[in-house]
Amino acid sequence: MVLDMYCSHILLSVLVLIISPSFAVSESGYGGWPAMRKKPSQSKAGNGKTKKNPPNIVFILVDDLGFNDVGYHGEGGSVLQTPTIDRLAMKGVRLENYYVQPSCTPTRSQLMTGRYQIHTGMQHDNILHTSPHCLPPHEYTLAQALKSAGYSTHAVGKWHLGFCRQECLPTKRGFDSYLGIVLGTSNHFSYKKRAGRALYHNEAPVSSDIKKYSTLLYTERAEEVIRYHAGSSKPPLFLFVSYQSVHTPLQVPAEYEAQYSDKIPDTKRLKYAAMLSVVDEGVLNITRALRSNGLWKNTLLIFSTDNGGRPRAGGINWPLRGEKSSLWEGGVRGVGFIAGPVLPKSVRGTINTGLCHVSDWFPTLVRGVAKKRLNNIMPLDGVNVWRSISQGKPSPRKELLHNIDPLQSPAEWTETDERLWGRLDGLVFNATIRAAIRVGNWKLITGHAGPSKWTPPPESTTDVYRFVEEVSTRTCVRLFNVQTDPSEHYNMAASQPDVVGRLLARLAQFQASSVPAIDHSVKVTSTNFFNQTSKRQTVMPMPLVQLTGTWTTWMEDSPVH
C-alpha cells in the first residue's frame, strides 16, 4: 500500500513536468507573477492623510563569504574589491559582533524561524540533495510573519531548506513568488547538479535550458520584483535575495576575471574574487532599481553572509581562526551591516558592537521594523535588536548558543581532559559533544570544533600562516575571551574553571530543551517529530532525476497537525 502511494506520487510528478503549461520559463521572462494576495490602496488616516507604509525590507544573503573578503574588512594583504558593499556599509550600521551559523541550512533555518537549531531539529549539518527532510512544516517563518503584517514577500536564489515535498518550497512557506535553486549548490550556468536541474519558478522546476549566470539571473529577477512594486498603491515589500555565489563551483563569466589576473596568482582565489565582483555589481543594480522605482527612501537593506569562507574554495576569514563548517570564529562570525534611508541619521556611518545573531532578524524585522506583534507563534530564541541598531542602545542579547550537535561523532576524552576536569560522566554536560556557547565575552567550545587553521589571503606577500597549537587539538574543552582574543589563540579553560562550569551548565540547560536532531544524510528511524522522522523515509530516487532531468519533489505532504 505504501509502495503504491509512493509510486503514484512519482508518476504524478512526472506527468506534471510533462504537461504543466507553467513549467517552462524563458530567459526573457519568468512566466508572469502569481496574483498578489493584497493590492490595496494606501489606507487613510483619520485626518485624511495617506498612511505611510512600513519600510520595505531587502535582505541580501551571500553564500560562503569570508570575513576578510569585503573591502572594509580586508587585511593581511587582501586585494579583493567590493566598492558597492563598502559604500553601503560605511554609510549604514556595520555589525561587528554579528554571528551566523557554520553552514548553509543552519543559518537559513534560524533566519527564517528566529529559533535555534536545537529547537527545530536542524542541528546536524546541511540538508542534502537526496534528503527526505525539510524545515519542519509547522515552523512559522519570517515570510509568513511579514505577510501577516501586510507585506508582499518574494524570494530569489538559493533556498536549501528542503524540497522533498511541495509543502517545503518557498511559496508554501510564506513567499508570494520564488525563483532560484532548491539545492545547496549547482552549476552557476546550467543550474544542474548531477543529472538534474535544480532551478525552480514558484513550485515547478524550470524546464527550459537557461544559461544565464546565477548572480546575473537572480539580480535581474530582484529588479523585476522591485519594478513590480513601483507606485504608491503597492504593499510594502520583503525581498529575500539569497545569492548562490560565492559558493562552489568556482565559476564566473570570463570578463570579471580580468581585474584580478595580474594581482592574484592563486586560480581558485582569482575566480572567487571575480564571483564576488559580480555580487557587488548585483548589489549596485538592486539599489539602483530601488532608487529608480521610488522605493529606496523607504527601504531597509540588510547584508549578511551565511557562514564563514572556505580557504580551499577561495574564501578567507583572516585574522579569525577556522572556516566554514567550524565552530571557531572564522566559521560563525559573519559579515553584516544594515543600510538605507530608514536608518536614523544619528547612527549612519557607525559601528555597532552589540551582540547580534542571525536568529535576531525575525523579531527585529517583524516587531522592531514592521511593528507587528508576535502573537501565537512558537517561542523565539532571537531577540529584537532594533533599538540597538537604530538608536545605538546596548544590545539586549547577552548570550548566544552556537549549536549542540548530538549526531556529530564525539571527540576523544583525553588524559589531559581527565586530569583537568575529572571523569567525563561527572560533568553536567558531555564535553565530547560538538557544541559551543557564548555568554558575555566568554566562548566555550566542546568536542570536535572543525577546521582550526588561521589562513591569510593567498595573495599576501607576508608569511603570516599560523597553525593550531598541538595542545588545542588534544582537549575537548576550550574557553576563549573573544573580546580580548577574537582570533582564539589562547585557551583559558584551565585558568577559568568556574567559567567553564557555568557555561557547561548552560549547555546542559539548552540540551534539555532540544528536540531530536534530524539526520539528513540517510534513511532515518527515530522518535516521532511531526512526521519527519517517525518512520523510514525514502531518499531522493536518482532514476527520477535521470528520467525528468530535474530535482522534483517526490514525497506526499505531511498530514495537517
Side-chain angles (χ1 to χ4, degrees):
M1 182 67 176
V2 174
L3 182 60
D4 289 342
M5 290 178 61
Y6 173 70
C7 291
S8 298
H9 186 72
I10 296 299
L11 180 58
L12 179 61
S13 296
V14 174
L15 289 174
V16 168
L17 298 184
I18 294 172
I19 67 175
S20 174
S22 64
F23 183 68
V25 177
S26 68
E27 281 200 52
S28 59
Y30 304 106
W33 284 88
M36 300 286 290
R37 292 192 181 184
K38 287 188 176 182
K39 273 190 171 181
S41 297
Q42 297 294 330
S43 59
K44 300 291 184 178
N47 59 6
K49 294 182 179 180
T50 300
K51 184 179 179 181
K52 186 179 180 181
N53 264 343
N56 302 303
I57 299 169
V58 177
F59 197 113
I60 298 176
L61 190 68
V62 181
D63 206 350
D64 288 6
L65 176 64
F67 186 81
N68 184 264
D69 295 333
V70 289
Y72 70 93
H73 274 179
E75 58 179 280
S78 173
V79 298
L80 271 61
Q81 298 177 16
T82 53
T84 301
I85 293 169
D86 295 351
R87 183 170 60 253
L88 287 169
M90 299 305 287
K91 290 183 178 180
V93 177
R94 285 162 280 161
L95 304 176
E96 297 299 352
N97 202 1
Y98 174 59
Y99 287 85
V100 290
Q101 294 305 110
S103 58
C104 310
T105 296
T107 287
R108 285 165 176 77
S109 72
Q110 297 201 37
L111 170 63
M112 284 295 146
T113 66
R115 285 157 53 78
Y116 288 147
Q117 297 162 257
I118 64 165
H119 295 145
T120 62
M122 309 295 285
Q123 56 266 56
H124 181 62
D125 210 359
N126 293 316
I127 293 178
L128 301 180
H129 52 284
T130 56
S131 174
H133 308 119
C134 67
L135 182 69
H138 66 277
E139 293 289 344
Y140 192 64
T141 69
L142 174 61
Q144 289 170 309
L146 288 173
K147 179 178 288 295
S148 73
Y151 277 74
S152 175
T153 58
H154 303 277
V156 181
K158 173 174 165 177
W159 179 237
H160 208 182
L161 287 173
F163 70 104
C164 58
R165 301 185 297 273
Q166 283 278 309
E167 66 185 352
C168 302
L169 298 175
T171 48
K172 298 293 188 178
R173 306 310 300 266
F175 287 101
D176 290 318
S177 76
Y178 173 65
L179 179 74
I181 64 163
V182 293
L183 304 183
T185 182
S186 76
N187 185 288
H188 285 277
F189 292 96
S190 68
Y191 305 93
K192 287 185 177 180
K193 183 178 179 67
R194 298 173 68 176
R197 286 180 297 275
L199 188 67
Y200 270 60
H201 176 229
N202 296 334
E203 291 148 35
V206 174
S207 61
S208 55
D209 197 19
I210 292 177
K211 294 295 185 183
K212 185 179 290 290
Y213 184 61
S214 68
T215 304
L216 300 178
L217 179 68
Y218 299 151
T219 299
E220 288 182 7
R221 176 62 161 191
E223 292 174 283
E224 182 185 16
V225 173
I226 292 165
R227 286 195 299 272
Y228 181 85
H229 284 82
S232 61
S233 65
K234 301 295 174 65
L237 169 66
F238 172 49
L239 174 59
F240 177 45
V241 182
S242 179
Y243 281 121
Q244 200 173 327
S245 284
V246 284
H247 194 293
T248 54
L250 297 176
Q251 298 169 322
V252 66
E255 59 267 27
Y256 290 93
E257 296 183 26
Q259 64 176 310
Y260 293 114
S261 59
D262 60 346
K263 298 177 182 177
I264 304 178
D266 182 275
T267 302
K268 290 183 178 179
R269 178 70 168 170
L270 189 152
K271 286 188 175 293
Y272 174 97
M275 292 171 74
L276 186 54
S277 290
V278 192
V279 170
D280 191 77
E281 178 185 277
V283 176
L284 174 63
N285 289 337
I286 288 172
T287 54
R288 281 178 172 171
L290 289 165
R291 287 186 173 93
S292 64
N293 287 279
L295 275 67
W296 179 245
K297 288 184 179 180
N298 193 36
T299 291
L300 204 62
L301 185 145
I302 300 105
F303 182 95
S304 174
T305 182
D306 66 342
N307 46 251
R310 178 158 279 167
R312 67 175 180 269
I316 298 297
N317 306 302
W318 181 265
L320 303 179
R321 181 178 184 176
E323 60 181 75
K324 175 182 177 176
S325 301
S326 81
L327 290 170
W328 303 104
E329 291 290 281
V332 297
R333 188 171 173 186
V335 174
F337 64 83
I338 189 164
V342 171
L343 282 174
K345 291 182 179 180
S346 60
V347 296
R348 296 180 198 172
T350 64
I351 293 175
N352 186 299
T353 58
L355 189 59
C356 181
H357 182 241
V358 67
S359 64
D360 297 338
W361 292 120
F362 190 117
T364 299
L365 297 178
V366 177
R367 186 72 185 106
V369 176
K371 306 303 181 186
K372 173 71 173 178
R373 291 191 179 277
L374 297 167
N375 297 327
N376 303 317
I377 64 172
M378 306 199 63
L380 297 181
D381 297 300
V383 296
N384 181 358
V385 295
W386 180 239
R387 290 183 66 196
S388 175
I389 291 171
S390 64
Q391 299 177 33
K393 302 288 187 182
S395 172
R397 179 176 283 282
K398 305 303 179 186
E399 72 171 8
L400 166 59
L401 177 69
H402 290 293
N403 197 23
I404 301 172
D405 185 353
L407 297 185
Q408 176 71 39
S409 299
E412 179 186 357
W413 191 247
T414 66
E415 291 182 2
T416 300
D417 292 317
E418 188 94 11
R419 185 179 70 254
L420 289 172
W421 311 108
R423 290 175 54 86
L424 179 61
D425 57 13
L427 297 179
V428 67
F429 177 80
N430 183 345
T432 66
I433 293 176
R434 176 186 170 98
I437 188 171
R438 165 98 177 258
V439 178
N441 294 324
W442 292 109
K443 177 182 176 183
L444 179 73
I445 306 175
T446 65
H448 288 298
S452 56
K453 182 178 174 182
W454 292 275
T455 308
E459 64 270 22
S460 173
T461 57
T462 306
D463 183 13
V464 287
Y465 281 86
R466 295 188 180 185
F467 295 85
V468 180
E469 297 90 346
E470 188 176 356
V471 67
S472 294
T473 66
R474 294 184 178 180
T475 179
C476 290
V477 181
R478 287 141 300 196
L479 180 72
F480 302 94
N481 185 318
V482 289
Q483 182 181 44
T484 59
D485 181 26
S487 298
E488 298 171 302
H489 285 286
Y490 307 107
N491 181 4
M492 302 181 68
S495 64
Q496 298 287 339
D498 291 343
V499 176
V500 170
R502 290 199 304 271
L503 270 59
L504 285 174
R506 194 71 184 105
L507 282 173
Q509 291 175 330
F510 274 118
Q511 188 178 39
S513 72
S514 66
V515 300
I518 299 169
D519 188 340
H520 304 299
S521 62
V522 295
K523 296 179 182 179
V524 181
T525 301
S526 69
T527 57
N528 179 52
F529 183 57
F530 282 24
N531 203 42
Q532 291 247 34
T533 57
S534 59
K535 58 184 179 180
R536 293 184 69 83
Q537 304 284 353
T538 306
V539 298
M540 176 64 167
M542 288 309 300
L544 177 62
V545 179
Q546 294 164 352
L547 175 64
T548 64
T550 63
W551 291 92
T552 181
T553 57
W554 73 96
M555 296 174 65
E556 299 284 350
D557 282 354
S558 58
V560 177
H561 294 279

